[in-house]
Amino acid sequence: MSLIALLIEIPVAFLLGLTSVIHGWGRVDEQAAASPMDWVPVLWLGGFTLGVLVIAVFFLYSAHPFAGAVQLLVAAIALCFTIAAWHDQYERAHPRPLPTRAGMPPLNHVTDR
């Protein structure tokens, strides 16, 4: 039963990753301007993580500790990808401000000679 669940999760995770990459391809030109967060990859990965956690709890509850441990490991990896996707979207939506030129004269400064 654990092997079946794992064999189902692998193609689902692959398709989820593929759709997330394809979803982001159209936004290469929009990287220059700040845009609102795109929650689609975060919600998809979060839903996958939640599904794997439900399967892990089911296995642990039905006295299959090894299968539950494998599912918890898969859920931990999926959670890392979810957090990385959230962080990527947050950084894209909230870019760092450009550094100021503190202590330096303005570029168009005319000096008296």
Side-chain angles (χ1 to χ4, degrees), residues 25-33:
W25 273 355
R27 295 194 176 86
V28 175
D29 298 334
E30 298 174 8
Q31 296 283 339

Side-chain angles (χ1 to χ4, degrees), residues 37-47 82 85-87 89:
M37 279 187 68
D38 184 13
W39 287 97
V40 172
V42 178
L43 292 176
W44 275 101
L45 286 169
T82 304
W86 172 83
H87 182 68
Q89 293 300 322

Side-chain angles (χ1 to χ4, degrees), residues 53-64:
L53 279 175
V54 167
I55 293 171
V57 168
F58 171 75
F59 281 135
L60 290 173
Y61 184 72
S62 64
H64 293 93

Side-chain angles (χ1 to χ4, degrees), residues 61-84:
Y61 184 72
S62 64
H64 293 93
F66 181 73
V70 169
Q71 293 299 316
L72 285 176
L73 182 64
V74 172
I77 293 169
L79 181 63
C80 290
F81 279 107
T82 304
I83 292 171

Side-chain angles (χ1 to χ4, degrees):
M1 184 101 135
S2 173
L3 184 62
I4 293 171
L6 196 59
L7 289 175
I8 291 172
E9 289 171 359
I10 290 172
V12 170
F14 179 73
L15 288 174
L16 184 62
L18 184 65
T19 57
S20 294
V21 168
I22 291 172
H23 182 72
W25 273 355
R27 295 194 176 86
V28 175
D29 298 334
E30 298 174 8
Q31 296 283 339
S35 59
M37 279 187 68
D38 184 13
W39 287 97
V40 172
V42 178
L43 292 176
W44 275 101
L45 286 169
F48 178 75
T49 304
L50 185 63
V52 173
L53 279 175
V54 167
I55 293 171
V57 168
F58 171 75
F59 281 135
L60 290 173
Y61 184 72
S62 64
H64 293 93
F66 181 73
V70 169
Q71 293 299 316
L72 285 176
L73 182 64
V74 172
I77 293 169
L79 181 63
C80 290
F81 279 107
T82 304
I83 292 171
W86 172 83
H87 182 68
D88 181 46
Q89 293 300 322
Y90 183 83
E91 288 291 319
R92 188 180 58 81
H94 302 94
R96 292 186 178 152
L98 296 174
T100 59
R101 297 172 39 100
M104 298 187 77
L107 292 176
N108 294 334
H109 181 72
V110 178
T111 58
D112 294 330
R113 293 183 197 209

